Amino acid sequence: MKSLLSTLTSRGPHRVLRGNLAIAGQPGVVFTPESGRGLPAVVFGHGWLTGVGNYRELLEHLASWGFVAAAPDTERGPIPSHLGLATDLLTTVDICTGVRLGDGEISVNPERIALAGHGMGAGAAVIAAGQRRVAALAALFPAPTAPSAETLAPNIDIPALVLAGSTDIASVNSNALPLTSAWGGPALLRAIDGASQNGIIEGRRALAALGAGKHQPKVSRTTRALLVGYLRHTLLDEKTYKPFTDPEAQIPHTHVIDPDAPREEESKPKLSVGTIASLLRK
């Protein structure tokens, strides 16, 4: 597993192309391998007060491993609409499946699409999955949304990967535990050692100045590897990557969490910037 994780941490074998979704009427970006028909796709929702530019390395990494990676660049303000972002995710799915990409030689298999997201984008992905069936879902450090993702989760029976930070998995800014517990299909909750909720956000951002967490390069690399491994097995059924979907697999720097296991009483958390925003959205 250590060798496999190291391999997936590095960029894949495909040369990556970048495109603009706005050409098809949806603000956002799409990254693809240089060529390929019937490719798997990942449609990704960004977190609060971020945009697609803060996930460029993640999206390029997915494309280098053979995925079409597309992300709408909307709802970037302090009081975003989670339903609006979910709608834009589904519009992006339609673009990926209905439009030939690149020079016309790149296409997506509609049966091999995953919805994914970070923070509020993870919740938006759940909302979108409740409206249209896809093959899998990946919630990276999910945060509370309105409507609540965990109230929709019991009716969604597709495979799901939930990643969380070991430092704030039980905080009010994370709904990783209730989301996984409520999920209607097979769900795997894996915590990354030493990770915080905002550690995968790339580049400079306003929230860092407010103490909302800084970029953690090691966490970003581990997250990219876990996501690629999970999706290579789930969407493509590649046996090499089965450990990434196995709750019994020992993956370095991570541990699997049972969301229904008893927990020690947590001390009352401080009210953070993310919590205030969540309350405002409600």
Side-chain angles (χ1 to χ4, degrees), residues 11-90:
R11 286 182 56 115
H14 298 278
R15 180 171 174 262
V16 175
L17 306 179
R18 181 185 186 278
N20 188 349
L21 290 176
I23 296 175
Q26 171 64 58
V29 298
V30 57
F31 294 89
T32 74
E34 188 172 22
S35 62
R37 297 286 183 91
L39 296 175
V42 183
V43 176
F44 183 87
H46 62 76
W48 183 55
L49 285 182
T50 62
V52 295
N54 295 109
Y55 303 93
R56 181 180 178 119
E57 289 184 9
L58 173 62
L59 297 172
E60 287 185 337
H61 192 81
L62 286 165
S64 76
W65 280 98
F67 298 91
V68 169
D73 199 19
T74 56
E75 304 298 340
R76 298 175 56 177
I79 308 178
S81 167
H82 303 139
L83 282 171
L85 183 55
T87 298
D88 292 336
L89 289 171
L90 293 178

Side-chain angles (χ1 to χ4, degrees), residues 7 27 31 53 79 114 125 145-146 151 154 164 198 219 221 245 255 262 267 282:
T7 298
F31 294 89
I79 308 178
T145 54
T151 62
N198 292 310
V219 172
R221 290 193 293 270
T245 65
H255 56 282
S267 59
K282 294 178 181 179

Side-chain angles (χ1 to χ4, degrees), residues 9 57 199-200 214-224:
T9 298
E57 289 184 9
I200 68 169
K214 296 182 179 180
H215 179 57
Q216 298 174 292
K218 290 183 179 179
V219 172
S220 289
R221 290 193 293 270
T222 300
T223 300
R224 292 195 293 263

Side-chain angles (χ1 to χ4, degrees), residues 188 190 230 233 241-251 256:
L188 174 63
R190 191 174 288 276
Y230 184 86
H233 181 257
Y241 303 104
K242 189 178 187 304
F244 288 93
T245 65
D246 183 0
E248 302 299 325
Q250 300 295 316
I251 299 179
V256 172

